[in-house]
Amino acid sequence: MPRRDRPTIRPLPPPTPISPGNWSIGDLPGLAPEMAATLKQNGIHSTQDLRDRCPDDRAVLTLAQDLHLVKHHVRKWLALADLARVPGVGCLYAGILLHAGIASVAQLAATPIQRLYPQLLRLLVATTQRRDLCPDRTVVLTWLAAARSLVHRS
């Protein structure tokens, strides 16, 4: 019986920022295409637009009410948008950081590598069963340095 080769599954290319630290709103991890379209209809086309639109909790609540959502969803998108502005993290790793308990650039900047790296490794191995999907420790160190730089600039 002839052997059938399995088709090669190629991963999608990572999203490309509109400008450094600014991503298309549809690139946020876990955001349904329908919700991305709704956000765009409300003038939110990028992660920077979302951050500009929601500078405080009152604005978060207003946007959530406009979208007929609980504010928890908008806060989650804001956390992802904040983390995505860190060079090297982007939309590709923002969701992983959020699931690892990191909810802001300031929190990322304050987290020691000795705590963050094992946390990321455990999370990725537990969810994917693959250690090789975890970014290298030196990559995570660059995230921490970039996050500290962003925090000091603000």
Side-chain angles (χ1 to χ4, degrees):
M1 188 151 113
R3 183 178 149 208
R4 289 187 179 194
D5 290 327
R6 291 185 179 177
T8 303
I9 298 173
R10 292 183 183 89
L12 294 173
T16 305
I18 296 168
S19 61
N22 188 25
W23 303 82
S24 170
I25 200 67
D27 289 337
L28 276 182
L31 186 65
E34 301 80 25
M35 186 51 65
T38 300
L39 288 169
K40 288 177 183 178
Q41 289 170 356
N42 281 274
I44 300 171
H45 299 274
S46 69
T47 55
Q48 184 63 52
D49 291 343
L50 178 62
R51 291 183 21 248
D52 289 345
R53 177 87 172 262
C54 296
D56 55 34
D57 203 45
R58 187 175 187 169
V60 168
L61 181 59
T62 300
L63 180 60
Q65 289 172 339
D66 290 348
L67 300 175
H68 306 290
L69 296 170
V70 293
K71 62 183 176 180
H72 167 77
H73 293 294
V74 177
R75 281 194 183 127
K76 177 183 172 185
W77 302 334
L78 273 172
L80 291 166
D82 187 37
L83 290 168
R85 68 191 179 106
V86 176
V89 172
C91 288
L92 191 60
Y93 292 110
I96 294 165
L97 285 171
L98 189 60
H99 282 289
I102 305 297
S104 69
V105 171
Q107 186 179 4
L108 178 61
T111 305
I113 188 71
Q114 299 86 345
R115 192 177 113 224
L116 180 60
Y117 187 74
Q119 208 170 328
L120 290 173
L121 185 60
R122 276 192 306 274
L123 174 66
L124 283 165
V125 169
T127 56
T128 66
Q129 305 298 310
R130 291 183 55 188
R131 185 182 185 99
D132 63 312
L133 294 179
C134 187
D136 188 71
R137 184 181 172 95
T138 56
V139 170
V140 177
L141 279 168
T142 64
W143 298 350
L144 295 175
R148 289 179 189 121
S149 176
L150 285 171
V151 167
H152 291 299
R153 273 192 245 154
S154 346

